[in-house]
Amino acid sequence: MVTADSLVNCPITIEDDRTGLSVETLRRALTDHLYYIQGKLPEHASRNDFYLALAFVVRDRLMPRWLYSKKNYLVPETRIVSYLSAEFLLGPHLENNLINLGIQDEVRQAVQESNLDYSALVDQEEEPGLGNGGLGRLAACYMDSLSSLEIPAIGYGIRYEFGIFDQDIRDGWQVEMTDKWLQFGNPWEIARPSFAVTVKLGGHTEPYVDNQGQYKVRWVPAQIVKGIPYDTPITGYKVNTVNTLRLWKSEAPESFDFQVFNVGDYYGAVDQKIVSENISKVLYPNDEQVQGKELRLMQQFFFVSCALQDMIRVHLTSGRRLNTFHEKFAVQLNDTHPAIGVAELMRLLIDEHDMAWDNAWNVTSRSFAFTNHTLLPEALEKWSVDLFGRILPRHLEIIYEINRRFLDQVRVKFMGDEGHLERLSLIDESGSRSVRMANLACVGSYSINGVAALHTELVKSTILKDFYELSPEKFNNKTNGVTPRRWLVQANPRLSNLISSKIGDSWIKHLHELQGLEQYADDSAFRHEWRQIKLSIKRDLAEHIQRRTGITVNPESMFDVLVKRIHEYKRQHLKVLHIITLYNRIKANPNADITPRTFIFGGKAAPGYTMAKLIIKFITSVGDVVNNDPDVRDRLKVVFLPDYNVTFGQRVYPAAELSEQISTAGKEASGTGNMKFSMNGALTIGTLDGANIEIREEVGAENFFLFGLKTPEVQELKANGYNPWDYYDSNDTLKAVLDLVAHGHFSHGDPQLFRPLLDNLLHHDPFLVLADYQAYIDCQDQVSAAYRDQDNWTRMSILNAARTGKFSSDRSISEYCEDIWKVKPLPVTVPEYDQSQAALKV
């Protein structure tokens, strides 16, 4: 019986609207944010208003974790990982944060009880397009894992106002459209103008002698830009750690010049604002060759200078001296884009903080670690000395001095060997002189790593061979990984739930526990469940394809998927030659027994990369013919899904059954799409390239379709004088395929449309498409035969997923922490919310 006394002795607990997790509290918080933040009544609110209100509800609930994680940064003994990357391809935040906070079910129920469509609100979020592809997405996965492993970390990059372009396909051609990801607001970021820094550009230097008689250099800039930090929380999975991604926006120190305005120059009065803001205006696509060189150098220096100044502020605020900077921060250079940091940290220490050169170099060379992401020599960044000196005159002087001291060491090591001096020099003296950013990164870093076992060995034996001979102890491998929270739990909830029903859910944090699935690979009931889930996901994708492209595809057909950045070395055109080969078989025998396939392509070509854009046109043109030829009778369908991004990947990876990883051996550094496909149960057809090698080792050679020349064979073939025409002339099947293209069958009778593509293949073929053609076709025939045995295919699919534990970004980050950064987890303690202590006390 309830009495008045019992009520007095049992105080009622009332949840706070900012932190409470009951459905009732979440609904009330959603309403409050709609009223007081969006300023809308429900009947007048748009879907975006409801999305923003929900996002703020979720942000409230991660805020205590974020604040106390930041508090740890200022503890003097805390060692912080600082991840410098020109790109962070994050993907949508809302659902990822719900999963990591462990509140997805409660929030979904609260939204539904508020008569709102949860899926529609999730889909409303505009994806930040702050990266081109693998490099930026890797950085995002690593930030997720750093938080999930409770490692104090800050990511530094650029807050591009316009991200990687949105892609549309018109008449089969790629059309680029502006990515206005900020147009409706970004609820996940918080501006921190009080932490703004200034960045110098251009001008000249002036030597002088200070009061102590020391030689000094003063940089007199032509332009000063202000960097404004915007912080985004990066949640860890079911831990209190919420790390910070700090992105920098460029602004003019003064937005409006009244003196210029007063003399009648109305446009000149705002010119400085426009020039300054251009620096963080737009993300450049990866494969642009010449355009925007000057602006890109300014972008790279801008965010690196902002980051290093910010790190120095944090270090000094924590009460430590600058000669221990390298003990506080482990600074990872994500490829060569942030390599200017080596010279900038030297400048800051010497010019701004009066540190002697030797002391400054000791700190600098013990602060940086360098990740190389390429095997293509042309992808190693170089800047002309003239351009570099015009934008960064002081840094050019510092680089010359670093180089002078470094080459003195090289002379001792390789006495009399001028070749080593030429190759190791930070300045390329051949032709027009240029600054080699990879060389700067190697000289100024204590660790140099590749991103797959083969890649690292090739780095040591090819593009950085001389540095390996000089300092072999610096080199190590860290095979890439991807976060299972994004790429399995969020992207594929149906499969994730099935897995958890059998082996529990701790695999989400410890991906090697997926091995527990192997015991079910021979369980017919489990295989049936697995197959039905895959079919339901394929049906969802088929509906999306119909809505997006108007193409009807058969969910019962094999979903054969090739989605990645469009580039000749990734060989999307080899895939198209396979499609035409199957098409020719059907035309020769309309009753041919062909395993039905839906070929799904996706990827963006850099606007200035003509051949890549022609490859997209080639894909869509072949699709137009194949999809509409009555002889094919829906046995083959070709789809190019536009606008490849993280959201796209979350939809496509779970539906794929065959993952195409067909780059020329020795060209792909690692690949991470190959990992995402395999993790979701797709089987791989691929070359021995990048991380394909390690995937094959893990899943078993019998569960991987291997074809093509190996790296030594590629090198030998090229060394002996590769002639692609020989392959064309000696292979009737290949000849028939290329002749059909040449005669205009896929271009409305126009023989010229694909002439550049054909000429390149027949007379140059730098990536050995024709050399690998027949091996690829033969391997694809094995794939078709294997797919007919659906029960065994499903068994192989289960084993692929079960054996991908190595490819978690958690494993990658653990190796970085132990071998390179020397950091350990630091759990974050968040005090319980207590209303009686809630009042502000200063």
Side-chain angles (χ1 to χ4, degrees):
M1 178 178 176
V2 178
T3 65
D5 288 340
S6 65
L7 287 175
V8 170
N9 294 326
C10 296
I12 298 172
T13 300
I14 301 175
E15 284 191 326
D16 176 70
D17 280 0
R18 298 283 188 178
T19 59
L21 295 175
S22 70
V23 171
E24 180 184 355
T25 301
L26 290 167
R27 289 186 63 189
R28 188 169 60 244
L30 183 60
T31 303
D32 283 354
H33 278 296
L34 188 67
Y35 281 156
Y36 298 116
I37 304 300
Q38 294 309 106
K40 290 288 185 73
L41 293 169
E43 57 266 33
H44 300 146
S46 67
R47 181 186 295 176
N48 195 65
D49 290 320
F50 286 117
Y51 156 70
L52 289 171
L54 179 59
F56 285 123
V57 169
V58 177
R59 198 182 80 177
D60 284 348
R61 279 139 187 84
L62 62 80
M63 189 60 71
R65 294 173 169 88
W66 195 14
L67 293 174
Y68 281 93
S69 296
K70 285 187 173 186
K71 188 176 180 180
N72 271 352
Y73 296 164
L74 296 179
V75 175
E77 298 77 23
T78 300
R79 184 159 166 80
I80 302 171
V81 174
S82 176
Y83 201 83
L84 269 58
S85 180
E87 301 178 18
F88 285 93
L89 197 58
L90 298 167
H93 293 277
L94 176 56
E95 198 161 37
N96 189 246
N97 284 332
L98 291 174
I99 290 168
N100 284 349
L101 292 171
I103 61 173
Q104 188 179 26
D105 291 341
E106 294 87 344
V107 169
R108 180 187 283 110
Q109 184 179 344
V111 169
Q112 291 171 344
E113 288 187 12
S114 300
N115 292 321
L116 295 169
D117 185 334
Y118 171 82
S119 296
L121 297 190
V122 168
D123 291 342
Q124 178 64 30
E125 183 172 358
E126 187 73 27
E127 178 173 330
L130 305 181
N132 283 284
L135 180 102
R137 185 51 230 173
L138 181 77
C141 283
Y142 280 2
M143 289 300 296
D144 172 279
S145 286
L146 282 162
S147 292
S148 294
L149 294 175
E150 300 179 286
I151 304 296
I154 307 175
Y156 286 108
I158 301 176
R159 183 183 180 268
Y160 301 102
E161 183 178 342
F162 302 110
I164 185 69
F165 60 87
D166 290 336
Q167 180 195 55
D168 197 11
I169 302 297
R170 298 176 190 169
D171 190 31
W173 293 96
Q174 171 179 291
V175 176
E176 300 90 26
M177 299 176 295
T178 306
D179 172 27
K180 302 176 183 177
W181 72 283
L182 289 169
Q183 63 180 326
F184 296 122
N186 178 11
W188 303 106
E189 66 179 10
I190 296 178
R192 305 289 188 188
S194 62
F195 294 150
V197 297
T198 57
V199 177
K200 302 174 183 178
L201 293 164
H204 64 278
T205 62
E206 298 175 349
Y208 68 100
V209 177
D210 68 10
N211 296 334
Q212 283 74 43
Q214 298 295 317
Y215 175 85
K216 294 284 186 179
V217 177
R218 179 185 298 111
W219 181 8
V220 182
Q223 180 184 358
I224 294 178
V225 176
K226 184 186 289 186
I228 309 294
Y230 284 74
D231 288 357
T232 299
I234 306 296
T235 52
Y237 179 69
K238 294 189 177 180
V239 293
N240 286 335
T241 300
V242 177
N243 282 320
T244 298
L245 175 62
R246 180 158 283 180
L247 302 177
W248 297 89
K249 178 186 178 185
S250 60
E251 290 186 359
E254 296 294 337
S255 296
F256 191 86
D257 189 331
F258 275 101
Q259 290 184 338
V260 174
F261 178 78
N262 287 336
V263 297
D265 186 358
Y266 305 108
Y267 296 108
V270 295
D271 183 62
Q272 178 65 24
K273 172 180 170 63
I274 295 169
V275 171
S276 297
E277 291 186 356
N278 277 344
I279 293 175
S280 61
K281 185 70 70 176
V282 65
L283 168 70
Y284 275 94
N286 248 353
D287 302 305
E288 289 287 355
Q289 299 303 310
V290 180
Q291 298 93 327
K293 276 281 188 182
E294 181 174 313
L295 182 54
R296 266 184 290 178
L297 177 58
M298 292 168 67
Q299 284 183 332
Q300 291 176 13
F301 173 68
F302 166 74
F303 96 84
V304 169
S305 179
C306 289
L308 288 169
Q309 290 183 67
D310 194 58
M311 283 183 260
I312 287 173
R313 177 190 59 79
V314 170
H315 185 63
L316 295 176
T317 302
S318 70
R320 302 187 69 177
R321 298 174 61 187
L322 271 183
N323 61 1
T324 61
F325 178 86
H326 58 283
E327 297 173 5
K328 180 72 174 176
F329 286 99
V331 187
Q332 190 69 34
L333 305 175
N334 192 28
D335 215 9
T336 55
H337 311 120
I340 188 59
V342 173
E344 172 64 355
L345 184 54
M346 287 295 289
R347 185 194 71 82
L348 289 168
L349 295 177
I350 294 168
D351 294 357
E352 305 291 338
H353 295 277
D354 296 320
M355 192 177 286
W357 179 280
D358 288 340
N359 291 340
W361 184 249
N362 178 61
V363 170
T364 298
S365 60
R366 296 170 69 184
S367 295
F368 290 103
F370 168 47
T371 299
N372 171 275
H373 281 281
T374 187
L375 288 166
L376 304 177
E378 64 270 22
L380 293 177
E381 277 191 317
K382 294 196 298 186
W383 303 104
S384 78
V385 166
D386 290 342
L387 169 63
F388 198 94
R390 189 168 70 251
I391 303 299
L392 303 172
R394 179 60 180 138
H395 297 77
L396 186 59
E397 294 175 352
I398 290 171
I399 287 171
Y400 280 149
E401 181 61 15
I402 293 172
N403 199 40
R404 183 186 69 79
R405 293 172 181 240
F406 170 62
L407 291 183
D408 283 346
Q409 298 172 12
V410 174
R411 286 186 182 93
V412 174
K413 175 83 171 180
F414 301 106
M415 193 165 56
D417 187 342
E418 291 299 318
H420 270 91
L421 287 171
E422 291 174 7
R423 294 190 297 271
L424 287 166
S425 174
L426 306 189
I427 307 298
D428 184 354
E429 304 284 356
S430 62
S432 59
R433 300 169 72 240
S434 57
V435 181
R436 296 163 163 161
M437 301 310 287
N439 291 33
L440 178 62
C442 289
V443 172
S445 297
Y446 64 87
S447 169
I448 303 164
N449 73 278
V451 291
L454 173 66
H455 171 244
T456 298
E457 291 308 308
L458 290 173
V459 164
K460 294 191 293 188
S461 63
T462 58
I463 57 173
L464 297 181
K465 179 176 184 290
D466 296 294
F467 282 99
Y468 177 64
E469 291 178 357
L470 182 67
S471 305
E473 73 284 353
K474 285 188 177 184
F475 285 76
N476 60 93
N477 177 62
K478 296 291 171 279
T479 297
N480 285 344
V482 301
T483 168
R485 272 77 63 181
R486 170 76 66 173
W487 296 112
L488 197 47
V489 179
Q490 183 175 347
N492 202 341
R494 281 167 282 193
L495 193 64
S496 297
N497 290 337
L498 175 63
I499 293 170
S500 295
S501 72
K502 297 297 184 183
I503 64 171
D505 64 3
S506 63
W507 61 269
I508 299 170
K509 194 76 174 282
H510 308 284
L511 197 63
H512 64 274
E513 292 184 12
L514 283 180
Q515 291 175 343
L517 285 177
E518 289 198 34
Q519 63 184 303
Y520 298 101
D522 293 314
D523 182 328
S524 59
F526 183 76
R527 287 200 301 267
H528 177 74
E529 281 187 86
W530 187 278
R531 194 158 53 245
Q532 290 304 116
I533 286 173
K534 178 68 80 170
L535 182 58
S536 69
I537 297 168
K538 290 169 64 181
R539 284 174 176 148
D540 289 347
L541 182 58
E543 291 177 7
H544 176 74
I545 289 170
Q546 173 66 46
R547 289 194 303 271
R548 192 73 174 83
T549 70
I551 299 172
T552 301
V553 304
N554 177 13
E556 304 278 353
S557 65
M558 181 202 303
F559 277 22
D560 180 345
V561 182
L562 177 48
V563 293
K564 55 184 67 197
R565 184 165 51 93
I566 308 295
H567 195 291
E568 289 170 272
Y569 89 81
K570 296 179 185 287
R571 302 202 295 191
Q572 285 92 349
H573 43 339
L574 175 58
K575 174 79 256 175
V576 182
L577 298 186
H578 171 233
I579 296 170
I580 299 173
T581 302
L582 296 179
Y583 175 71
N584 279 350
R585 289 180 187 175
I586 291 174
K587 296 303 289 184
N589 176 13
N591 295 316
D593 189 9
I594 300 287
T595 300
R597 294 201 198 202
T598 296
F599 303 99
I600 300 171
F601 292 86
K604 294 177 180 179
Y609 191 172
T610 303
M611 189 61 73
K613 296 181 85 168
L614 187 60
I615 288 173
I616 292 177
K617 177 62 174 175
F618 188 38
I619 294 166
T620 57
S621 296
V622 170
D624 287 342
V625 172
V626 170
N627 295 347
N628 294 294
D629 190 321
D631 287 341
V632 175
R633 296 199 306 275
D634 292 337
R635 284 172 288 181
L636 308 177
K637 280 292 175 72
V638 182
V639 176
F640 190 97
L641 270 174
D643 210 26
Y644 180 46
N645 57 16
V646 175
T647 304
F648 177 115
Q650 290 176 197
R651 180 177 280 119
V652 172
Y653 290 125
E657 292 174 290
L658 185 67
S659 163
E660 299 271 354
Q661 306 299 330
I662 59 176
S663 53
T664 314
K667 296 300 180 185
E668 186 74 80
S670 171
T672 50
N674 47 9
M675 302 171 187
K676 297 162 196 169
F677 280 117
S678 195
M679 194 177 288
N680 280 277
L683 276 58
T684 304
I685 180 169
T687 54
L688 283 180
D689 194 32
N692 286 356
I693 298 170
E694 291 160 86
I695 290 175
R696 184 170 179 262
E697 289 172 353
E698 294 295 314
V699 305
E702 70 280 6
N703 299 310
F704 186 105
F705 297 100
L706 177 66
F707 79 96
L709 296 167
K710 300 177 179 65
T711 301
E713 294 170 333
V714 168
Q715 295 168 342
E716 182 182 359
L717 183 58
K718 288 196 167 188
N720 292 336
Y722 171 56
N723 183 5
W725 188 271
D726 292 342
Y727 289 86
Y728 166 79
D729 208 34
S730 62
N731 187 324
D732 290 341
T733 305
L734 174 60
K735 190 173 189 297
V737 167
L738 295 180
D739 286 352
L740 195 63
V741 178
H743 294 153
H745 187 78
F746 301 104
S747 50
H748 304 288
D750 178 3
Q752 298 304 313
L753 179 59
F754 297 118
R755 177 58 55 191
L757 184 62
L758 291 171
D759 286 347
N760 184 268
L761 286 175
L762 289 169
H763 303 298
H764 305 287
D765 195 14
F767 302 109
L768 307 187
V769 172
L770 302 193
D772 270 347
Y773 165 81
Q774 192 57 53
Y776 181 57
I777 299 302
D778 294 342
C779 190
Q780 286 286 8
D781 288 342
Q782 296 173 27
V783 171
S784 292
Y787 191 74
R788 291 171 182 269
D789 184 349
Q790 277 290 288
D791 206 41
N792 189 56
W793 182 279
T794 304
R795 181 182 183 277
M796 295 164 71
S797 171
I798 294 167
L799 291 176
N800 262 263
R803 296 171 178 175
T804 54
K806 175 180 179 177
F807 304 108
S808 170
S809 51
D810 295 348
R811 186 269 315 155
S812 303
I813 288 299
S814 294
E815 292 179 1
Y816 275 96
C817 289
E818 184 172 345
D819 301 338
I820 298 177
W821 301 329
K822 308 301 181 185
V823 295
K824 296 184 181 298
L826 181 63
V828 174
T829 300
V830 179
E832 287 291 327
Y833 179 82
D834 183 350
Q835 282 188 314
S836 67
Q837 300 297 316
L840 185 65
K841 301 180 183 72
V842 180

